[in-house]
Amino acid sequence: MVLVLPNLHCGAASTMQCPQDHELQKQYLDLLQMKEELEESCKKKDQLLRDAQRALAEEQDKRETAEREKQLLEEKCTQLRQQLNVLEIYCKESMTQMKEELRRREKHEKEQDERIRRLEAKMKDLTEKKQNTENYCTSKTTANDKKENNLEPSWWSKICELIEELYLLIAKFFSCG
């Protein structure tokens, strides 16, 4: 707003000014100063408003970014929980299978130990029988050889040899499993 003041002349003398003119000029200058102060104040307020709006927009962006990051972290956490659950189920199943396999092996080992014990007992028994048979065969063979005095072995010697072969085959059979 511009205030236009008329050019007033209060007399013919150029050096003399009218007191009203001086007063008007003073008011005019005050008005101009007030106008400039108001405009400056408005500019500052406009700048503050723009700064505040910019700060609010930045804060809103930060909140939205934080919210997106939070959502991504929650999704990642959910995925990790699901993977952990799957892993836990897998571990439980594996543990159950391993325990079952261990029980099966222990049972098999006990069976093998029992079988070895029985075979050892049979071997001992067969060894004793073989020794008794050899002693009996030797005494009979010697007695028969003396009676027959042939070049050919006696039938009793042949039986003893067959028994020894049979013993070896039985021992081989039991030792192979």
Side-chain angles (χ1 to χ4, degrees), residues 22-156:
H22 181 69
E23 191 61 37
L24 277 176
Q25 201 174 20
K26 185 176 177 188
Q27 286 179 357
Y28 177 71
L29 290 174
D30 286 343
L31 284 173
L32 283 177
Q33 185 178 358
M34 285 174 59
K35 177 186 168 198
E36 286 175 10
E37 287 175 1
L38 281 174
E39 286 175 354
E40 187 63 31
S41 176
C42 285
K43 286 180 186 177
K44 285 181 181 179
K45 286 181 182 178
D46 286 345
Q47 185 61 40
L48 287 173
L49 182 60
R50 282 192 296 274
D51 290 346
Q53 287 173 337
R54 191 177 311 118
L56 286 173
E58 287 174 2
E59 189 63 32
Q60 182 66 26
D61 286 346
K62 286 180 184 178
R63 271 194 232 116
E64 289 173 358
T65 301
E67 187 63 33
R68 283 192 300 272
E69 288 176 1
K70 178 184 172 190
Q71 188 176 6
L72 289 174
L73 287 173
E74 287 174 349
E75 289 172 5
K76 182 70 173 176
C77 190
T78 301
Q79 289 174 350
L80 289 174
R81 280 191 198 110
Q82 290 171 348
Q83 290 174 352
L84 183 64
N85 288 339
V86 168
L87 185 61
E88 184 178 357
I89 291 169
Y90 172 77
C91 287
K92 285 180 181 179
E93 290 174 355
S94 294
M95 185 64 79
T96 302
Q97 290 174 357
M98 289 170 63
K99 286 180 181 178
E100 184 60 36
E101 179 66 19
L102 183 61
R103 279 189 223 110
R104 188 187 65 73
R105 286 184 183 187
E106 287 174 350
K107 181 182 175 185
H108 181 71
E109 187 178 322
K110 286 178 183 178
E111 290 171 354
Q112 291 297 322
D113 288 345
E114 180 61 26
R115 187 174 179 201
I116 289 170
R117 189 191 58 74
R118 282 185 276 139
L119 287 173
E120 286 174 344
K122 284 182 183 179
M123 289 294 288
K124 182 180 177 186
D125 188 43
L126 284 174
T127 304
E128 289 174 0
K129 286 181 181 178
K130 177 185 176 208
Q131 189 63 39
N132 291 339
T133 304
E134 284 177 354
N135 290 341
Y136 180 75
C137 286
T138 305
S139 66
K140 283 290 189 184
T141 303
T142 308
N144 281 342
D145 285 346
K146 286 182 183 177
K147 285 183 185 176
E148 294 180 1
N149 242 350
N150 298 0
L151 295 176
E152 229 176 274
S154 69
W155 61 272
W156 193 250

